Amino acid sequence: MRKRIKALNPNFRLMGVSLLLAVTLWYMINYFSDPAIRMTVNNVSVQLLHEEVIENRGDVYTVLDSTDVIPVVTVQAKRSVIDKLESKNIIATADARMMEEDGSIPIVLTTDKYTSSIERITGSISSVLLRVEPLETKSMPLEVDAEGTPAEGYVLYETETEQNQVDISGPQSYVRSVGRAAARVDIGGAERSINSYPAITLYDEEGQEITSEEMAQRKLHLNISSVKVTATIYQTKEVAITCGREVPLADGYELVSDPAAEPSSVLVAGAAGSLRGIDAIEIPSSDIASAPVSSNIHKQIDLEGYLPDGIVLPEGSETSVTVFVQVIKSAPQKSDESDTSATSEAVAADDAESAE
């Protein structure tokens, strides 16, 4: 290495030494003269002071455009001061008592140490922007959103919440923009009823979910954060529909065939023990016709009244059937007078044979 250095042109060696001396001299001058320099801090939070002046009026505020966070703060001071400052030493405040009519509040920037030594401190934004409006509370019905599908052979019969409404409070415009409140429950693959305590979710008027972050930004509050939900899961069974045969008929009429229902079967649901006790739903003949029948019947009958206790018709199942009754006139019969005449003629013929 020494041989290579010695082999260099003396001018190059001199230039290298000069450069090293210049850098050293520059550093020593800057260090000992303590020049002013700048430091930048990103995303400095602004503390809002004296919020009570807004709340005491019965109003509530929300921060617009994330102006409670300053994207960039620049601090100018001597090097010796800057070297001892950290981002946590930057203090940003906005006094609500200084709020303008447009909702803007000037931001005051300072540090919690070496304040008198700071030459300049500025932010990329200078004001916090607030939306101030009346505080409002409204009650909404609490719905249940069932997600998923029960196991095959099972259905969701109903859902029930322990509390059927929720109170929402916050800025008037945001409260009025809430379209519905719901609790979600997962019933995927379920074979039995479910009890759960899901969180309550809010949706706007267009059906879009209002996230927890958005609720915090809009200062929306609920009187309850979760609710007990019961999802009743029933087993299903296909059962026949039968009709009573003793339909009253008018004189001279008879049935073409037994009364029949269309559809001839229906899907019912219930607890396993209740389903074991039912194989068919019977519609009595008295409900098909109460007066003697002399013409065909097509009668719509609601099935709800014929279900045993504990048995229900699940959503999507037939709730009514059409009962068909067909009748015709009976074949005419010979009168008694005709029969007597024929018998007399036969007796006279026998007597004539005997006389011969």
Side-chain angles (χ1 to χ4, degrees), residues 20 72 74 76-77 79 101 103 113 120 165 193 225 227 231 243 258 271 276 286 315 319 327 335 342:
L20 180 61
V72 180
T74 303
Q76 181 175 309
R79 178 187 296 277
E101 290 186 3
K113 64 179 183 179
R120 187 181 181 192
Q165 69 177 24
S193 296
S225 58
V227 66
C243 301
D258 291 336
R276 283 195 291 269
S286 58
E315 184 177 356
T319 59
V327 297
S335 64

Side-chain angles (χ1 to χ4, degrees), residues 269-304:
S274 299
L275 286 178
R276 283 195 291 269
I278 178 173
D279 293 313
I281 297 174
E282 182 177 357
I283 301 173
S285 56
S286 58
D287 290 347
I288 298 172
S290 57
V293 176
S294 60
S295 61
N296 294 338
I297 294 177
H298 295 171
K299 186 174 183 179
Q300 197 84 6
I301 293 183
D302 189 349
L303 293 175
E304 293 283 354

Side-chain angles (χ1 to χ4, degrees), residues 21 24 52 72 80 86 89 101 108 141 147 206 233 278 303 316 334 344 347 349:
L21 289 173
T24 303
E52 66 274 7
V72 180
S80 58
E86 299 179 39
N89 301 129
E101 290 186 3
V108 177
E147 299 181 340
E206 296 179 354
I233 306 296
I278 178 173
L303 293 175
K334 293 181 180 180
S344 299
V347 171

Side-chain angles (χ1 to χ4, degrees), residues 308-353:
D309 290 341
I311 300 298
V312 297
L313 296 170
E315 184 177 356
S317 184
E318 297 287 347
T319 59
S320 63
V321 295
T322 302
V323 174
F324 296 91
V325 178
Q326 289 183 294
V327 297
I328 59 171
K329 283 189 176 183
S330 304
Q333 297 181 353
K334 293 181 180 180
S335 64
D336 293 340
E337 184 179 345
S338 299
D339 292 343
T340 303
S341 175
T343 303
S344 299
E345 290 177 1
V347 171
D350 290 339
D351 290 342
E353 281 184 20

Side-chain angles (χ1 to χ4, degrees), residues 25-337:
L25 183 60
W26 177 86
Y27 177 78
M28 292 181 65
I29 291 173
N30 275 277
Y31 182 79
F32 289 107
S33 64
D34 198 13
I37 61 173
R38 295 178 181 178
M39 71 175 287
T40 58
V41 179
N42 297 326
N43 300 323
V44 176
S45 297
V46 181
Q47 180 184 4
L48 191 63
L49 304 177
H50 302 291
E51 302 166 271
E52 66 274 7
V53 300
I54 298 174
E55 297 167 354
N56 290 342
R57 298 191 317 227
D59 292 335
V60 64
Y61 72 87
T62 50
V63 178
L64 299 178
D65 303 326
S66 300
T67 51
D68 58 344
V69 176
I70 307 173
V72 180
V73 172
T74 303
V75 182
Q76 181 175 309
K78 292 186 178 298
R79 178 187 296 277
S80 58
V81 175
I82 294 295
D83 286 345
K84 296 175 184 178
L85 288 177
E86 299 179 39
S87 59
K88 66 181 181 180
N89 301 129
I90 308 301
I91 306 299
T93 58
D95 193 333
R97 295 175 299 181
M98 305 297 292
M99 184 173 62
E100 303 290 341
E101 290 186 3
D102 63 356
S104 63
I105 304 175
I107 297 173
V108 177
L109 285 166
T110 185
T111 60
D112 60 1
K113 64 179 183 179
Y114 308 119
T115 305
S116 60
S117 300
I118 303 298
E119 297 180 9
R120 187 181 181 192
I121 180 168
T122 58
S124 55
I125 60 174
S126 59
S127 299
V128 175
L129 302 178
L130 302 184
R131 171 190 279 177
V132 179
E133 53 189 310
L135 176 67
E136 185 167 302
T137 299
K138 76 173 180 179
S139 297
M140 295 194 71
L142 186 55
E143 304 174 10
V144 176
D145 290 340
E147 299 181 340
T149 305
E152 186 175 356
Y154 293 83
V155 294
L156 171 66
Y157 171 57
E158 66 178 3
T159 56
E160 184 178 8
T161 55
E162 190 173 48
Q163 190 164 323
N164 60 11
Q165 69 177 24
V166 61
D167 294 336
I168 306 166
S169 60
Q172 184 180 72
S173 62
Y174 288 131
V175 169
R176 294 183 179 183
S177 70
V178 177
R180 59 187 291 262
R184 289 196 288 253
V185 59
D186 184 8
I187 60 170
E191 296 181 354
R192 63 185 64 185
S193 296
I194 297 172
N195 291 318
S196 63
Y197 293 83
I200 296 172
T201 303
L202 298 183
Y203 298 86
D204 62 24
E205 293 176 333
E206 296 179 354
Q208 297 297 315
E209 179 181 341
I210 302 173
T211 65
S212 56
E213 292 80 8
E214 291 171 331
M215 287 184 62
Q217 292 171 0
R218 301 176 187 182
K219 292 197 171 182
L220 290 173
H221 302 283
L222 303 175
N223 64 324
I224 54 172
S225 58
S226 62
V227 66
K228 180 181 178 180
V229 175
T230 300
T232 303
I233 306 296
Y234 278 165
Q235 194 172 353
T236 60
K237 182 178 182 179
E238 191 85 16
V239 298
I241 299 174
T242 60
C243 301
R245 299 179 179 180
E246 302 300 323
V247 175
L249 299 174
D251 291 339
Y253 287 86
E254 62 183 35
L255 291 172
V256 174
S257 60
D258 291 336
E262 179 61 39
S264 59
S265 64
V266 69
L267 189 70
V268 298
S274 299
L275 286 178
R276 283 195 291 269
I278 178 173
D279 293 313
I281 297 174
E282 182 177 357
I283 301 173
S285 56
S286 58
D287 290 347
I288 298 172
S290 57
V293 176
S294 60
S295 61
N296 294 338
I297 294 177
H298 295 171
K299 186 174 183 179
Q300 197 84 6
I301 293 183
D302 189 349
L303 293 175
E304 293 283 354
Y306 304 97
L307 298 175
D309 290 341
I311 300 298
V312 297
L313 296 170
E315 184 177 356
S317 184
E318 297 287 347
T319 59
S320 63
V321 295
T322 302
V323 174
F324 296 91
V325 178
Q326 289 183 294
V327 297
I328 59 171
K329 283 189 176 183
S330 304
Q333 297 181 353
K334 293 181 180 180
S335 64
D336 293 340
E337 184 179 345

